[in-house]
Amino acid sequence: MMSGKEYTTFMDDIIVRTVTRLMVPLILLWALYVLIHGAGGPGGGFQAGCVLAAGFILYALSFGLEKTKSIMTIKWISLFSSLGVLIYAGTGLLPLFFGGKYLEYGKIPLINPIKASEYGIEAIEIGVGITVMAVMLSIFYDLSTERED
Amino acid sequence: MIWAIDIVLLLFIIILAIGAVLARDLLEAVVLFSAFSLLMCVIWVELNSVDVAFTEAAVGAGVSTVMMIAAIAKTVRWEEP
C-alpha cells in the first residue's frame, strides 16, 4: 500500500495534502467535542475514538505511514490502549472506597452528587475513547505494514 | 419520518447491496459498500437514532473502507471466476 512507484504521485498531490492539512485538525477537534458532549447529546466514547482514529488514518493516507508512525508511535499506541482500560477500571473502582458499588459514581464525595455522576460518566467515556482510538490505529498499522518474511 | 424519502433511500440501498455482491472488481465492491454505509447512515438519521448514524458514518463509511482497501492491497484485486 505504501510502497511501489504508482502511489508516490498520489502522495505528492498538492490538493490531497492541502485538504488533509486543513481537515485533520478539524476532525480531531470534532472528535473531542463528541467525546465531551457524549453524555448529553449524540456521541460518546466509541464514536469519538473512531473519529480520532479516522483523522490519524487520513493523515497516514496522504502523508505516508512512516511520518504517522513517527508522530503516533507504536509505543504510545500500546500505552494508550491500556491507559483507557485503566481509566475505565479506576473510575469504576473509585466508588468502592466511599461505600458504593462498582461504577456507582454518585457516592464519590464531590460538592453535589448529580455532578459527581456526570463527571464519572465523562471519565468513563474518555477511557473508552482512548482505548478505541489506540486499537483502531494499531489494526490499521498492522494491516498496512509490509510483512517482512 | 417522510415515507417517500424512506422508499427512495431503501431502493438505493438495495441497488447498492446487489451491486456490491455482484461486482467482480473487489475495489468496486468496496466503494459500493462504502456508499451503502453512507446511505444507511442517512436512514439512521431519518429514523431518529443519531448515535447509530454516527457510528455507521465513522466505522462503516470511514475506517472499515480503508481497512478493506488495505486488505485488497495485500491480496488480489480481481475475484477469481
Side-chain angles (χ1 to χ4, degrees), chain A residues 44-143:
Chain A
F46 183 77
Q47 287 91 336
C50 285
V51 175
L52 269 176
F56 280 110
I57 287 172
L58 177 64
Y59 190 86
L61 286 182
S62 55
F63 287 97
L65 195 63
E66 299 306 317
K67 208 173 170 192
T68 316
K69 271 187 180 170
S70 68
I71 293 170
M72 182 61 88
T73 57
I74 295 176
K75 209 171 168 185
W76 278 109
I77 279 185
S78 49
L79 183 71
F80 277 149
S81 61
S82 45
L83 180 73
V85 180
L86 188 69
I87 290 174
Y88 191 106
T91 315
L93 285 176
L94 197 59
L96 292 181
F97 297 109
F98 304 110
K101 299 189 190 72
Y102 189 68
L103 293 176
E104 195 178 0
Y105 328 107
K107 294 278 187 188
I108 299 174
L110 288 181
I111 289 96
N112 51 351
I114 304 164
K115 280 285 176 195
S117 174
E118 211 169 280
Y119 291 157
I121 293 173
E122 282 305 326
I124 292 283
E125 300 275 15
I126 287 170
V128 172
I130 289 174
T131 299
V132 168
M133 186 269 288
V135 172
M136 284 272 176
L137 265 184
S138 76
I139 293 173
F140 173 69
Y141 280 178
D142 284 347
L143 269 178

Side-chain angles (χ1 to χ4, degrees), chain B:
Chain B
M1 204 173 133
I2 308 160
W3 66 270
I5 294 178
D6 272 357
I7 296 289
V8 172
L9 284 173
L10 288 170
L11 203 66
F12 271 128
I13 272 206
I14 291 170
I15 292 170
L16 282 171
I18 292 173
V21 171
L22 290 183
R24 304 298 294 277
D25 188 354
L26 292 179
L27 198 60
E28 183 189 335
V30 168
V31 171
L32 285 175
F33 190 65
S34 175
F36 171 87
S37 276
L38 196 68
L39 279 186
M40 200 67 214
C41 166
V42 178
I43 286 185
W44 288 127
V45 175
E46 174 83 3
L47 294 175
N48 277 332
S49 63
V50 188
D51 253 331
V52 188
F54 221 119
T55 313
E56 184 80 37
V59 181
V63 178
S64 80
T65 306
V66 172
M67 283 173 184
M68 280 190 276
I69 289 176
I72 289 176
K74 293 195 115 174
T75 56
V76 290
R77 182 173 164 178
W78 296 92
E79 189 179 326
E80 289 186 6

